[in-house]
Amino acid sequence: MTPSVEFWFEFASTYSHVAAQRIEAVARAAGVPIVWRPFLLGPIFRQQGWNDSPFNLYPAKGAYMWKDLERQCAKHGVPFRKPSQFPRPSLLATRIALTLESSPERIGEFVRRVYLANFHDDADTTSNDVVRGVLQSMALPDGDAVLEQATSTQTKERLRARSEEAFARGVFGAPTFLIGDELYWGNDRLEDALAYCVGVRSS
Amino acid sequence: MTPSVEFWFEFASTYSHVAAQRIEAVARAAGVPIVWRPFLLGPIFRQQGWNDSPFNLYPAKGAYMWKDLERQCAKHGVPFRKPSQFPRPSLLATRIALTLESSPERIGEFVRRVYLANFHDDADTTSNDVVRGVLQSMALPDGDAVLEQATSTQTKERLRARSEEAFARGVFGAPTFLIGDELYWGNDRLEDALAYCVGVRSS
């Protein structure tokens, strides 16, 4: 029995883009199921005293991040063009992801498209129209119902609980991979997180 | 002609310990010469508004760092025990490293011993006695002359210039690997930095 890896991601996060584009292929190869966990990093950053991305607050670190991101995307074959605006938090996309998360095929596809819209096509994913356009591009038979559920009070409350859960479980950045209490932070640790799951299966 | 990799390290930095213990073996295997670059990260952190290690300022990140460090050390076969005090900046060790840096064999050995004293033996490397003890343990024929030069005004001024150079070249953390203007940050990027050097040689 292989434990699942929980993939905690935030739509504004650059390295979550890299992880989101490649997680399905590497997890499948390792035989590890994915549990998708969209959440908002903003409340956690604010508790650390940050009102903006640390990559904007610390310019030298930010300049390096864009260079490193370009290298990492090239290395992993992930499409990337630096967006004209950063960060682009996306409440609607997060709510839609929360609505779709029980369907692994649908959420993976939606999440990848939103990240590509932001980090390749430079579309303004803070705009609800842009996010609705991404959902429509999937041509789901029940697209309207998904949108309705995503904007419901119930989903709003689930998202609040989700972000509280992130904080309670020690999540401080994105992407984060969780297997029970074992936390792995950053796209660089995806392989280590999967190896941990495989190790549990073998033991 | 293979370009050298500049290895910028700070004695208080946890991930510099991992990089320092393994850099000689992996650089030799890649055929890349190392230029050792001891420097002080404190002035750069203070310019970012930090008066302590960010791993202390942000507790969730710090808790994760110790866990991740343990995993990374196990992965790379690097000895590690969590020290009882953190961080332990070491002015004298940095000055001695600066004095020894023109001799690749000597500086490598000294640097590894200081890191092991702190991150394995839990010795207080902020103490000049402890650092002098590390130097003595190497039984250099000219140990006294090294110590004298390390504490000279000239070395003090070289260290100030070194830290200014770090800032000017965009160094914001440690370890950092530099090949000209190409900057790689973190123990995780050592292999990528070496691959870049090898790529320059082949092109």
Side-chain angles (χ1 to χ4, degrees), chain B residues 22-64:
Chain B
R22 68 194 200 89
I23 191 168
E24 286 198 345
V26 288
R28 194 184 308 116
V32 176
I34 305 166
V35 177
W36 298 77
R37 287 284 178 254
F39 79 112
L40 295 176
L41 201 45
I44 291 175
F45 277 4
R46 280 191 289 277
Q47 276 181 299
Q48 299 184 357
W50 300 334
N51 57 359
D52 193 354
S53 164
F55 295 125
N56 289 340
L57 295 173
Y58 306 108
K61 200 165 182 170
Y64 173 75

Side-chain angles (χ1 to χ4, degrees), chain A residues 134-148:
Chain A
V134 172
L135 183 63
Q136 281 157 8
S137 75
M138 289 173 67
L140 298 177
D142 57 346
D144 289 347
V146 167
L147 199 59
E148 197 175 326

Side-chain angles (χ1 to χ4, degrees), chain B residues 39-112:
Chain B
F39 79 112
L40 295 176
L41 201 45
I44 291 175
F45 277 4
R46 280 191 289 277
Q47 276 181 299
Q48 299 184 357
W50 300 334
N51 57 359
D52 193 354
S53 164
F55 295 125
N56 289 340
L57 295 173
Y58 306 108
K61 200 165 182 170
Y64 173 75
M65 181 275 287
W66 291 112
K67 178 74 190 253
D68 184 59
L69 188 67
E70 203 177 310
R71 286 176 183 150
Q72 292 298 309
C73 286
K75 187 173 182 170
H76 293 296
V78 168
F80 170 71
R81 277 205 312 255
K82 186 179 172 184
S84 58
Q85 185 193 354
F86 175 81
R88 282 185 177 134
S90 184
L91 192 55
L92 181 58
T94 312
R95 286 181 179 161
I96 292 174
L98 212 64
T99 303
L100 294 175
E101 70 180 15
S102 55
S103 165
E105 310 78 35
R106 288 176 144 200
I107 187 176
E109 185 64 30
F110 175 74
V111 169
R112 281 190 296 271

